[in-house]
């Protein structure tokens, strides 16, 4: 086997952590095998998809701990064979998140479009592209993955990735306060399971519609090859509407929204059309049955939708606005109904004991859409007094979304409140930029950010940075946001691309039922892995030895706390890719 092929093979088999071997491998400058036979792949880690011509370009190089040794790197054009840039690898430093000793190769000066490779002491990196549209295909693929997650209709992504209609209709669960058949369909499968959850749908559709509002030039013309293509609604909005329609079907006549529609237990690893477990609309088990977080999330998202769809379908936009108003009234009248799985139900609960931030988000979005004082007053009254502290948004932390939509609104609002929000955002962005500069692999994650779905956390930290960049254009914020894209697409200690179908070494074994059950080796395309998790939520993760948090990932289908896919992790990646294409 030639060395290049060997490296490719080793990369595909995954890496095991062994600091001693790491040092050896880096000194040897090539692949090596540990005593236990665990392979270690190459030593140059970068975005396997590529870079924008004028963008910052950094590769992470595994080095010897002796920082006195200096290596030179060369950037070689694959078409011409010529070296286009030479430079020194920066001094070796210890990276806590991975346990690696690394140096940085800054090849930002390479700007001419083309394909390249980096070489150091006989070692070679994966090939990569420099091009103004380096991320165009990635944007389409990751957005089209939502079509792949569709429930309740025929899906055909091409190349065999398809399934017929699944999960049509259902029943009201005894926990819902109603009985009988439910005549609905639609939505996106949440993740590797076939459940549909309003809370997670909320942050996911909200993030996507925000991308639509912030990057219209990029998204208006994006063709997705979906059943609605060619209609009067742009593909991007048509895809999101597929999930919004299902969300609307979970709103009760009183305005409240049931938490989820799933079977009582997760089904086996089968195709969606083969899942015949009853799909229940599930409530809290006692009056008022609907939950505050789900209802407020629906209010927020429908308020955004009312802004986005009006131009293409005024009647639908009106329907969304009415739903948002009714949901907001219910949530403010029932502010403390927390959801926990009722007896007999074991699917995800998207647990969140505090729904004040969801209600805040709904108030801010409804104000931005309507300008009505009642919503603005509710928003301002719900804000903390004094300085605001903005953390990474997530399905359980919507406070940043609430604040940002208020500040992004073209309505005057309170200048003081807007200023406090902008200030808090710039502070949080600077903090992330400093964190990224200190990290050996250039991502924004701190040790404590390696949680279940840390790649989603990275995506949401990029969203924060991009909003900051929107308030006050700043190359440092933008480049730091893109740093997480580089990390996800290969500049990480595993040398893996965490998006199926992207880069030369994408992960292969997501915890994703269709990928496991369809009889095709390669997984469904465009899906991001949850990524490293410092905790241990499944048996595979529990069996891992003690190691630094970025190492805590394996490409194993069974490892749902490390390697599942989910709509709320793909959505911020689409947002980031929309920015990268802007
Ligand atoms: O497949 C399920 C995945 O979607 C969830 O995120 C995960 C945690 O709730 O649970 C998975 O289902 C597992 C179940 O919890 C325990 N038995 C094995 C199931 C996976 O095969
Ligand atoms: O993303 C969720 C993560 O934050 C939780 O820690 C975890 C356990 O409750 O559940 C994750 O969400 C899963 C959901 O419950 C069911 N569908 C798959 C989701 C991703 O693993």
């Amino acid at each position: 086997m030639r060395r290049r092929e060997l490296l490719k093979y080793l990369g595909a088999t995954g890496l095991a952590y062994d600091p001693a071997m790491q040092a050896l491998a880096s000194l040897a400058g090539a692949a090596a095998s540990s005593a236990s036979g665990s392979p270690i792949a190459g030593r140059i880690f970068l975005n396997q998809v590529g870079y924008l011509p004028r963008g910052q370009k950094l590769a992470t190089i595994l080095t010897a701990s002796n920082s006195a040794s200096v290596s030179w790197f060369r950037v070689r054009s694959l078409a011409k064979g010529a070296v286009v840039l030479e430079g020194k690898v920066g001094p070796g430093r210890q990276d806590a998140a991975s346990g690696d000793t690394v140096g940085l190769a800054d090849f930002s000066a390479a700007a001419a479009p083309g394909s390249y490779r980096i070489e150091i002491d006989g070692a070679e990196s994966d090939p990569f592209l420099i091009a103004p549209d380096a991320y165009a295909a990635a944007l389409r693929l990751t957005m089209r993955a939502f079509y792949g997650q569709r429930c309740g209709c025929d899906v055909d992504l091409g190349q065999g990735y398809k399934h017929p209609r699944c999960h049509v209709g259902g029943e009201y669960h005894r926990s819902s306060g109603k009985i009988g058949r439910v005549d609905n369909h639609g939505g996106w499968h949440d993740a590797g399971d076939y459940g549909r959850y309003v809370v997670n749908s909320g942050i996911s559709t909200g993030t996507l519609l925000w991308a639509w509002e912030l990057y219209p030039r990029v998204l208006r013309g994006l063709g997705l090859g979906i059943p609605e293509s060619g209609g009067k609604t742009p593909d991007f909005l048509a895809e999101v509407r597929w999930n919004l329609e299902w969300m609307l079907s979970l709103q009760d006549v009183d305005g409240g929204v049931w938490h989820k529609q799933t079977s009582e237990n997760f089904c086996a690893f089968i195709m969606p059309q083969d899942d015949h477990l009853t799909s229940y609309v599930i409530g809290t088990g006692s009056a008022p049955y609907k939950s505050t977080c789900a209802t407020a999330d629906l209010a927020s998202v429908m308020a955004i939708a009312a802004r986005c769809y009006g131009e293409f379908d005024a009647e639908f936009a009106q329907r969304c606005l009415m739903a948002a108003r009714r949901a907001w009234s219910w949530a403010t009248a029932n502010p403390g109904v927390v959801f926990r799985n009722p007896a007999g139900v074991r699917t995800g609960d998207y647990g969140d004991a505090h729904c004040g931030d969801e209600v805040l988000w709904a108030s801010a979005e409804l104000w931005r859409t309507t300008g009505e004082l009642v919503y603005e007053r509710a928003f301002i009254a719900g804000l903390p007094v004094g300085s605001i502290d903005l953390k990474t948004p997530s399905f359980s932390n919507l406070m940043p979304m609430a604040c940002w939509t208020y500040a992004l609104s073209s309505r005057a609002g309170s200048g003081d409140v807007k200023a406090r929000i902008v200030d808090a955002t710039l502070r949080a962005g600077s903090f992330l930029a400093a964190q990224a500069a200190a990290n050996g692999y250039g991502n924004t994650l701190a040790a404590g950010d390696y949680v279940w779905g840390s790649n989603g956390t990275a995506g949401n930290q990029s969203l924060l940075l991009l909003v900051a960049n929107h308030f006050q254009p700043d190359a440092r914020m933008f480049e730091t946001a893109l740093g997480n894209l580089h990390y996800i697409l290969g500049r990480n200690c595993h040398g893996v691309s965490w998006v199926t179908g992207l880069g030369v070494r994408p992960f292969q074994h997501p915890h994703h039922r269709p990928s496991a059950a369809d009889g095709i080796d390669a997984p469904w395309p465009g899906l991001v892995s949850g990524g490293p998790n410092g905790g241990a939520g499944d048996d595979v993760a529990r069996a891992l030895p003690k190691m630094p948090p970025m190492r805590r990932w394996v490409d194993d289908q069974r490892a749902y706390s490390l390697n599942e896919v989910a709509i709320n992790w793909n959505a911020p990646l689409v947002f980031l890719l929309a920015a990268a294409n802007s």
Side-chain angles (χ1 to χ4, degrees):
M1 211 186 284
R2 289 178 51 211
R3 206 177 59 80
R4 188 175 309 170
E5 286 155 9
L6 176 71
L7 279 175
K8 210 165 177 180
Y9 165 77
L10 291 175
T13 57
L15 313 182
Y17 179 64
D18 181 340
M21 278 315 301
Q22 207 91 59
L24 193 91
S26 62
L27 286 171
S33 286
S34 74
S36 61
S38 319
I40 291 178
R43 51 180 292 220
I44 308 172
F45 299 107
L46 43 67
N47 184 332
Q48 294 166 21
V49 170
Y51 297 86
L52 300 171
R54 280 188 306 242
Q56 186 181 51
K57 306 174 193 72
L58 293 169
T60 296
I61 320 296
L62 279 180
T63 71
S65 39
N66 171 10
S67 59
S69 69
V70 174
S71 308
W72 287 81
F73 71 87
R74 290 177 298 281
V75 179
R76 191 178 294 280
S77 155
L78 294 184
K80 303 188 190 114
V83 171
V84 301
L85 182 75
E86 272 186 307
K88 255 187 223 171
V89 177
R93 52 164 151 162
Q94 201 56 38
D95 176 55
S98 60
D100 292 343
T101 304
V102 300
L104 302 186
D106 187 339
F107 57 107
S108 305
S115 21
Y116 301 90
R117 198 189 284 285
I118 291 183
E119 303 168 352
I120 300 174
D121 301 340
E124 290 177 344
S125 75
D126 292 318
F128 61 91
L129 208 64
I130 294 179
D133 61 351
Y135 306 125
L139 171 62
R140 181 171 190 269
L141 200 75
T142 50
M143 186 58 205
R144 199 156 184 260
F146 285 91
Y147 169 42
Q149 290 295 100
R150 276 197 202 187
C151 183
C153 73
D154 291 357
V155 167
D156 191 351
L157 287 179
Q159 295 180 307
Y161 299 108
K162 59 180 182 176
H163 70 71
R165 214 165 136 85
C166 60
H167 304 108
V168 179
E171 271 179 40
Y172 287 105
H173 192 256
R174 59 181 176 278
S175 61
S176 71
K178 280 204 168 182
I179 46 167
R181 292 276 310 158
V182 181
D183 180 26
N184 75 344
H185 72 280
W188 294 318
H189 297 139
D190 183 56
D193 64 321
Y194 296 136
R196 289 165 286 169
Y197 307 80
V198 172
V199 161
N200 207 37
S201 282
I203 179 85
S204 303
T205 51
T207 300
L208 293 172
L209 292 178
W210 270 37
W212 173 264
E213 291 195 301
L214 284 172
Y215 306 104
R217 202 187 53 74
V218 178
L219 297 178
R220 276 183 180 247
L222 182 67
L224 294 174
I226 55 177
E228 296 79 2
S229 293
K232 65 181 164 94
T233 302
D235 287 8
F236 187 90
L237 286 186
E239 186 51 52
V240 175
R241 182 170 173 169
W242 185 260
N243 201 53
L244 295 176
E245 293 277 11
W246 167 77
M247 290 178 77
L248 287 169
S249 79
L250 281 215
Q251 186 170 37
D252 199 0
V253 286
D254 64 359
V257 180
W258 285 287
H259 203 76
K260 62 177 176 180
Q261 184 168 4
T262 73
S263 41
E264 290 189 315
N265 296 294
F266 291 116
C267 71
F269 261 58
I270 52 179
M271 291 300 284
Q273 70 274 17
D274 299 327
D275 174 16
H276 300 300
L277 297 177
T278 303
S279 173
Y280 286 110
V281 169
I282 293 172
T284 58
S286 59
Y289 301 104
K290 282 79 62 178
S291 53
T292 310
C293 283
T295 304
D297 277 333
L298 181 134
S300 310
V301 165
M302 295 305 158
I304 311 173
R307 298 196 296 269
C308 297
Y309 290 85
E311 183 187 342
F312 309 104
D313 187 339
E315 186 273 329
F316 177 63
Q318 201 49 39
R319 189 149 65 87
C320 291
L321 184 56
M322 290 305 295
R325 290 180 184 282
R326 288 169 47 237
W328 184 86
S329 299
W330 192 97
T332 47
N334 300 273
V337 193
V338 169
F339 179 87
R340 271 185 221 96
N341 265 339
V345 176
R346 273 173 290 271
T347 48
D349 56 14
Y350 283 108
D352 183 355
H354 306 282
C355 301
D357 49 325
E358 281 79 1
V359 176
L360 203 66
W361 187 27
S363 302
E365 293 290 6
L366 271 161
W367 170 71
R368 186 174 173 190
T369 303
T370 66
E372 292 168 20
L373 219 57
V374 55
Y375 300 124
E376 185 182 27
R377 281 205 192 110
F379 171 71
I380 307 251
L383 274 183
V385 282
S387 100
I388 297 172
D389 186 18
L390 290 180
K391 302 218 163 54
T392 311
S394 71
F395 75 77
S396 59
N397 179 24
L398 283 313
M399 161 93 166
M401 305 293 276
C403 289
W404 293 333
T405 210
Y406 187 83
L408 287 168
S409 168
S410 56
R411 299 184 188 282
S414 152
D416 166 60
V417 170
K418 285 195 173 189
R420 279 161 60 208
I421 292 169
V422 169
D423 179 60
T425 309
L426 299 183
R427 262 187 291 124
S430 292
F431 180 84
L432 291 175
Q435 180 69 54
N439 283 344
Y441 288 88
N443 65 356
T444 53
L445 299 175
D449 293 330
Y450 288 91
V451 294
W452 191 317
S454 64
N455 282 340
T457 306
N460 279 314
Q461 293 184 340
S462 289
L463 190 149
L464 185 158
L465 287 154
L466 291 164
V467 171
N469 183 59
H470 197 84
F471 290 146
Q472 186 178 297
D474 177 347
R476 191 169 73 119
M477 299 287 177
F478 187 78
E479 291 295 353
T480 305
L482 258 65
N484 286 333
L485 182 64
H486 306 324
Y487 165 74
I488 287 171
L489 294 177
R491 190 185 169 204
N492 56 66
C493 69
H494 303 275
V496 71
S497 162
W498 272 311
V499 181
T500 52
L502 283 183
V504 298
R505 221 195 308 277
F507 79 113
Q508 294 296 318
H509 306 291
H511 185 87
H512 181 240
R513 283 166 173 73
S515 294
D518 64 0
I520 302 174
D521 281 348
W524 284 48
L527 297 165
V528 66
S529 166
N533 181 358
D538 62 71
D539 290 344
V540 176
R542 267 187 287 278
L544 291 176
K546 190 170 158 48
M547 44 187 182
M550 198 199 294
R551 291 264 159 217
R552 294 188 55 85
W553 177 81
V554 278
D555 190 5
D556 186 325
Q557 180 202 289
R558 298 166 301 167
Y560 49 80
S561 73
L562 310 174
N563 208 28
E564 189 162 356
V565 302
I567 57 173
N568 63 317
W569 306 332
N570 253 66
L573 182 59
V574 167
F575 188 102
L576 173 53
L577 282 163
N581 277 278
S582 65

